[in-house]
Amino acid sequence: MHDRPLSSQASRRRAGRWVFPLAGALLAAGLAAAQDAPAETPTAARLADDQDGLGLSTRGSGRVAEMQQDLGSAMAGRILGPPAPEADEAVSRDADGRVTLRAFRLAEPLTVDGVLDDPVYEQAPAADGFTQQEPEEGAPVSESTRVWVLYDADSLYVAAELEMEHPELLMANEMRRDNRNISWGDSFSVILDTFYDRRNGFLFHTNAVGALYDAQVTDERNTNSDWNTVWWVRTERSERGWTMEMRIPFRSLRYPAAGPQLWGINFRRLIKHRNERAFLTPTPQAYNMNGLNRLSNAATLVGLEAPAGSRRMELKPYAIGSQTNAPLRDIDEAWSGDFGADFKFGVTDGLTADVTWNTDFAQVEDDETQVNLSRFSLFYPEKREFFLEGQGVFDFGGRQTRAWGGGGDTPIPFFSRSIGISGGSAVPIVGGARLHGRAGAYQMGLMNIQTGEVGALDYEGTNFSAFRVKRDLFSRSNIGVIATHRNINADGTAANSLYGVDGNFNPTEHIRVNTFYMATSEPGVEAGRQAASYMGQFRYDTDLIDVTAERLYLGEDFTPGMGFVRRQNFTKNSGFVQFSPRPRGVEAVRQLEFQARVNNYERPGGELETREVQFEANAIFESSDRLMLDYNVTEEHLLEGFSLSDEVAVPAGSYRFGRAGVRVRMGSHRKVSGMLRYVFGDFFGGGRQELGYWGRAEINQRFSFEPNISLNWITLPQGDVRAQVSRLRATYTVSPRSFLGALVQYNSAAQLFSANLRYRWEYSPGSDLFVVFSTNRDGDDGLAGLSDRAIVVKFTRLFRF
């Protein structure tokens, strides 16, 4: 069920003394490479050498301009939008608001420094005409916004001029790579649909301090920010606003064969002091924060020629040294080391194969501790890079396999934390291989992983396999199949297999239907309905009205050996409706939300197990602050009791209770932001109060604190329970590619205090140095009793061929 957290010192493998010279050699190679080709600002000489005299003309008579116009004519039949712009224009638009954008080929080297002083910006026309999604759908962007798309033989370049009437109001306070706060301030984003399938893409964010955020988008909805590639960005602030230059090597992307390209593309600008979102293409408010991912709404990019070489090869070896001290287990080890490698190569232009050997995850941050005050399993999200990259293809039934909200009722057929973790402890991964990507209308993912034996955990080496294929249908729908198999189940018994089919249909812009059927197989378990799960879901979603109806079934014997299940043996019927008017007479309020939800859980015989009725009212202010009020009524019929603590348990019986709550969310424009909540009411024959806060306190754009505290006071006839979870994350960002972070946690239920200190330096794009210190202490001894402690130093080096 994966309901135990994993600490970073849970897996430390050892090798010989020669590991440290190897680590030094890897770092030296990386530093040498970084000196030869500066990571942040590619030199003009290097770009000029790679171009071989390519030219740019915007007057309509040059050789390149004529060639680009011919390319536009040849592809006109495939363009889902207006015809290609004239050779001396950047944008064409049609009456339906669709956009076609031209890329211009560079004649001179482009120095990526964030300053738009190269001659090309005077010669090539810019794309403008951005329109608001928020607050006034369809209105012109409030601040001048211009964009250029350029390219040479090696790379795609995106540059933007982002003016501000009051530049002193610019808000950019996050430099950590891939941190979601990047897009919560003044920021600029680009998404590239390189296969022009109008549903999948590569996403790049930056802000006024030059932060880097890259991600993969699948099926227009699911975003995997743990995908990382090699790219550069530089920004510059001025009295007129800020400017940005971005360089994305073609080798960092996947696209069809070399030659003329037809891509999807869109841009988003966030202007934080106005709480404004603007796009190159008209974007409805109904898309909400998902507007950039809606690639069916993106512009078409023409005029681009890409080189051969999308089938790149990458080798990423690592070397690691570690020292562990665990007095309670009589472990006091001297420094030791290990090494391993990941190899990636393009099988086709759209399919990538990954091979991993002696995989290590020592640099991964500890899981965030949780307290379980229910009878269901806790969900801990995947954090290990190898499993996260390309995982979107394993999304099933319209749901993300690694969603932070994975503690919901819908089962996850493939959850990678089932691999390499046993009972909260890591087990070694000997090696594995994976194939993922696109072949025509098909998306596919295949994986095979072998873990090693761990005698101390009574864990046998296990082989894991997963297979997933999706077939695109129409413009935004798909059907697919999934299968998983492990030769030894989690409890050490015989093999476990799963197979399933799913369909995700979007017949109109606002209607979505998701459905799936899955079944599992184990020796001694009879096949049939009890070993199956199915779901049907209908959703109608607009800016004003959101309606969802769902039926979900999980059998008693449905046990996905490589998946995650929160609760079993039930049929759930649920309905949800939301009404979201935008009041015009209240200046401070942008939108109101009124929600009602009913969840009805029945046992196999049809008798009621749980009924939940929830009401919620929210006010979204122009400042981006929110006020949320809710009231929930729960009816439970327990056949078995469950424990809240070692001393207090809820007995079997029937219960009905109500709880009310108030939440205040302070927008990210504030120095102190986040969510403050207070919930109170009845709870299983007694009472419960909960007070919590999570958020961010900004010291400056480099230094911040992120506190998270949850306090629960439960009073029952059987006794009282006090549960506390406290977390504090402190981060100092040296540069967009380097940070020092600390995570300190306390869990009163486990009486455990833990601390995790991490330093990361991406000394060359894709190559890292990690230094990690972790410690756990037993709270029963006044937080003084050392449980375990470890320090790890890890080097990686990326070689691209």
Side-chain angles (χ1 to χ4, degrees), residues 526-543:
E526 182 179 352
R529 190 170 186 271
Q530 289 302 312
S533 174
Y534 62 80
M535 184 200 73
Q537 182 192 70
F538 170 87
R539 184 174 184 183
Y540 175 76
D541 183 14
T542 68
D543 183 58

Side-chain angles (χ1 to χ4, degrees), residues 470-486:
K470 291 190 288 188
R471 172 64 160 87
D472 294 343
L473 292 177
F474 313 114
S475 61
R476 297 175 55 220
S477 303
N478 62 67
I479 57 174
V481 297
I482 193 169
T484 68
H485 178 80
R486 57 185 297 169

